[in-house]
Amino acid sequence: MAQLGLELPRETMANWYIKCAMEYFQPVYDQMHRLLLQRDIIHADETTCQVLHEKGKAAESISYMWMYLSGSDGLAPIVLYEYQAGRSGVFPKAFLEGFSGIVQCDGYSGYNQVEDVVLAVCSAHCRRKFYEALPAERRKKLKLLDINSETDVKDIPLPDPEQMENMIPAEIGLVFFNKLFFIEKGLKGMGPEKRQEKRLEKEAPVWEKFWSWIEALKPLGGSKLEKPSIIQ
């Protein structure tokens, strides 16, 4: 329009965006929402954002963008965003109404309000707790394995009992999760059934050793290590 010599006010263009979103994109969004609720697993997370000139709220106040996406089930991926003014559990409860599968999240208590679902803790968030429990000098020497990284990494062996004696508990927990992430990196690209088969074959033994180890762990009350040790 500017090239044609027509100057449009920002307010006019903003109103056009809103009208197009409501008239044409909202029905598509609603249909994707209905299809998402039919899946077996949904990943959920929320992050802070700020909105200027929002009615009833100061410009510097915090609002939230909630995100919901489908799992790697071989079907067309669905990713939906939902803006809300707060972080209350009523928001995911309303958005996920009618869903009865697995909700993978970060352990935030607000997801406990979602009814008729199984909550699954995100391994990346759990691993982070062990990482944060490490002393700063040891933390600098370690890297968190990213399964989406294109860099080749070597296999990560689990420590034997003798090696564990020379490691602090947070370091041991981190090794378990890095081992799981290494295995998961090798399963990328497989179909869901094949990936499940390999997970049971390769990851289940690691989880069994992890639970045996963590059940014997006795962290100090109030310590950083106490949080990941109570995820069970």
Side-chain angles (χ1 to χ4, degrees):
M1 292 297 182
Q3 290 176 340
L4 294 175
L6 179 61
E7 293 187 8
L8 292 171
R10 290 172 59 89
E11 293 81 359
T12 299
M13 290 189 289
N15 285 331
W16 285 355
Y17 296 148
I18 293 171
K19 183 173 179 61
C20 286
M22 299 303 295
E23 292 289 335
Y24 303 110
F25 293 151
Q26 187 67 51
V28 176
Y29 181 97
D30 292 341
Q31 176 63 7
M32 292 175 70
H33 187 189
R34 285 189 287 269
L35 293 174
L36 182 64
L37 297 182
Q38 297 173 16
R39 298 296 183 85
D40 296 324
I41 182 170
I42 294 176
H43 304 272
D45 201 0
E46 75 289 336
T47 189
T48 58
C49 64
Q50 287 183 298
V51 179
L52 299 177
H53 308 302
E54 186 172 14
K55 187 176 180 181
K57 296 190 69 174
E60 64 273 11
S61 60
I62 298 299
S63 298
Y64 286 85
M65 188 67 73
W66 297 75
M67 291 145 284
Y68 305 91
L69 61 150
S70 57
S72 302
D73 52 11
L75 300 176
I78 296 176
V79 182
L80 296 178
Y81 293 78
E82 184 189 44
Y83 167 78
Q84 292 291 355
R87 201 192 181 199
S88 169
V90 300
F91 300 126
K93 177 183 178 181
F95 189 91
L96 296 173
E97 184 178 0
F99 177 67
S100 59
I102 297 173
V103 175
Q104 186 180 44
C105 54
D106 59 5
Y108 168 49
S109 60
Y111 291 105
N112 292 332
Q113 295 193 35
V114 183
E115 300 174 345
D116 301 322
V117 299
V118 175
L119 295 180
V121 178
C122 171
S123 294
H125 286 86
C126 183
R127 181 181 63 173
R128 184 191 302 168
K129 298 298 182 182
F130 287 102
Y131 183 74
E132 293 173 348
L134 286 170
E137 62 274 11
R138 294 206 184 194
R139 200 183 307 164
K140 293 177 182 178
K141 299 178 183 179
L142 296 172
K143 292 184 178 180
L144 298 181
L145 179 60
D146 180 6
I147 65 171
N148 295 313
S149 173
E150 298 297 330
T151 305
D152 290 332
V153 294
K154 296 181 180 179
D155 191 6
I156 301 170
L158 294 178
D160 57 38
E162 185 177 343
Q163 291 173 319
M164 285 185 180
E165 293 179 1
N166 298 318
M167 301 170 67
I168 61 176
E171 195 173 7
I172 297 172
L174 191 62
V175 171
F176 273 110
F177 277 94
N178 275 340
K179 177 68 172 181
L180 290 166
F181 275 60
F182 173 81
I183 298 172
E184 197 66 25
K185 182 178 173 64
L187 306 184
K188 285 193 64 180
M190 293 184 181
E193 294 182 357
K194 186 66 175 179
R195 189 166 61 248
Q196 180 186 32
E197 176 188 334
K198 289 298 181 181
R199 280 174 175 167
L200 292 173
E201 175 190 336
K202 297 184 176 183
E203 296 183 9
V206 179
W207 279 112
E208 290 174 4
K209 291 180 180 179
F210 172 77
W211 290 121
S212 297
W213 168 74
I214 206 170
E215 285 173 358
L217 190 64
K218 296 180 180 179
L220 295 175
S223 68
K224 289 185 177 180
L225 191 61
E226 186 182 28
K227 286 187 176 181
S229 69
I230 60 175
I231 58 173
Q232 55 187 321

